[in-house]
Amino acid sequence: MLEELQELKADATSALEKTTNLRELDEWRVQYLGRKGHLTSILRRLGSMSFEERRAVGAAANEVKFELEEALRAREGSLKERELAESLERTSIDVTLPGYPVALGRLHPVTRAIKEICEIFASMGFQVVEGPEVEWDYYNFEALNIPQDHPARDMWDTFWIDTPEDEHQLMLLRTHTSPMQIRLMEQTRPPVRAVVPGKVYRYEATDATHESMFHQIEGLAVDQGITLGDLKGTLFEFARRLFGSDRKVRFRCDYFPFVEPGVEMAIDCWICRGAGCRLCGHSGWIEILGAGMVHPEVLRRVNYDPDIYTGFAFGLGVERIPMLRYGIDDIRLFFGNDLRFLRQF
Ligand code: DAH
């Protein structure tokens, strides 16, 4: 009997080594350790043995059973590992292959100009705020000292918007960012220092230098004791930071209904340094923005006492900046959505 057990163990062990997968392993388990398996059949015969024999064979059989169970678990572990490795091999990808390139976006040249300009003013203590593109006549014209039927309205070609009959106000797409001067001052008391980037709209035939939608940045500073000197100093510093520290700046009188006095600021042409070239239209100067001291009438509108408070304002067209910088000769390229153009920036 003991011999039979040793044979069984040797048999089972060599059969176990021949199993190559988990299914075969289960068949092996049934054959040697199962309810109708070899070992069970030996154990069943214990009943017919003498006490001495039963003790010896019983102990040996249990030991073989224990050993075979151990061997089964070990085999199961290694077969599982092998199957995993094989399935990985079948489904694995070659991580050394080059991947698909990720399409990288970039900021639109107008967005970049807006960011750059706002950062310059932010570093000088100006807040950055935005306002509505659909505006009331009151903010776009009336409160800016441009009454109905005033010839100054001709300076802006306007998209009017139909408003309900019972609405006694006129609505339009803002023609400039200046209406935010009024909204800002209505909401706060001095000191006010803010820049307002945003889209503006004009009803006009488009050509290389005119679009019906473009961007402006408005600026406003109001406090006690602000003078034309502050306007010049602030805008001069701005021009130097944006266009180079050796820039010269020229201020000349201009007319805008909401400022008094009004000025236009130009910088010396950085290509010809004032001698005259194609970029500056042979004048040596490049006009950059309109500005002025906030008109006392405008201050009165928002209940700021013009005897106590003064301020300056300015407005500049954004598209003009990258056009000058990169030599872009058609404003319509900015919003034509031609990637060949946009990818250059
Ligand atoms: N809003 C003016 C325009 O669209 C530009 C402008 C000029 C704004 C003078 C100002 C200013 O704040 O002071 O033509």
Side-chain angles (χ1 to χ4, degrees), residues 26-176:
D26 198 52
E27 282 165 15
W28 179 93
R29 186 187 57 77
V30 172
Q31 192 179 349
Y32 291 99
L33 296 170
R35 265 187 311 124
K36 293 177 184 161
H38 295 324
L39 196 64
T40 315
S41 81
I42 291 177
L43 288 171
R44 283 226 177 91
R45 277 181 275 151
L46 283 179
S48 59
M49 289 176 203
S50 72
F51 177 71
E52 296 299 312
E53 228 184 343
R54 197 189 302 165
R55 248 175 74 153
V57 175
N62 272 330
E63 198 170 314
V64 169
K65 184 172 183 238
F66 178 77
E67 281 170 7
L68 290 182
E69 281 171 351
E70 276 285 277
L72 169 71
R73 270 195 291 278
R75 186 74 184 163
E76 187 177 32
S78 68
L79 283 180
K80 274 191 178 156
E81 232 166 70
R82 191 195 297 178
E83 287 198 358
L84 181 67
E86 280 169 6
S87 86
L88 272 180
E89 194 135 304
R90 258 181 280 119
T91 57
S92 69
I93 50 164
D94 182 352
V95 293
T96 63
L97 283 174
Y100 295 108
V102 178
L104 277 188
R106 63 199 77 204
L107 292 180
H108 191 281
V110 170
T111 308
R112 287 192 10 201
I114 289 175
K115 278 184 71 148
E116 201 181 335
I117 294 165
C118 287
E119 270 161 26
I120 292 172
F121 283 108
S123 78
M124 293 196 260
F126 285 72
Q127 278 182 289
V128 180
V129 291
E130 290 179 309
E133 289 169 28
V134 179
E135 192 49 285
W136 296 114
D137 179 275
Y138 177 77
Y139 290 105
N140 196 85
F141 292 128
E142 201 77 25
L144 286 167
N145 208 21
I146 315 164
Q148 202 102 48
D149 304 323
H150 191 283
R153 288 210 180 204
D154 295 346
M155 291 165 75
W156 297 275
D157 310 280
T158 310
F159 281 118
W160 296 99
I161 291 180
D162 291 338
T163 31
E165 291 268 331
D166 51 354
E167 192 66 73
H168 296 297
Q169 301 193 59
L170 294 171
M171 202 187 252
L172 50 101
L173 294 181
R174 68 177 176 193
T175 60
H176 49 182

Side-chain angles (χ1 to χ4, degrees), residues 193-212:
R193 261 183 297 178
V195 284
V196 186
K199 291 185 165 66
V200 300
Y201 301 84
R202 307 247 173 118
Y203 178 67
E204 52 197 342
T206 59
D207 62 25
T209 53
H210 295 88
E211 259 286 32
S212 49

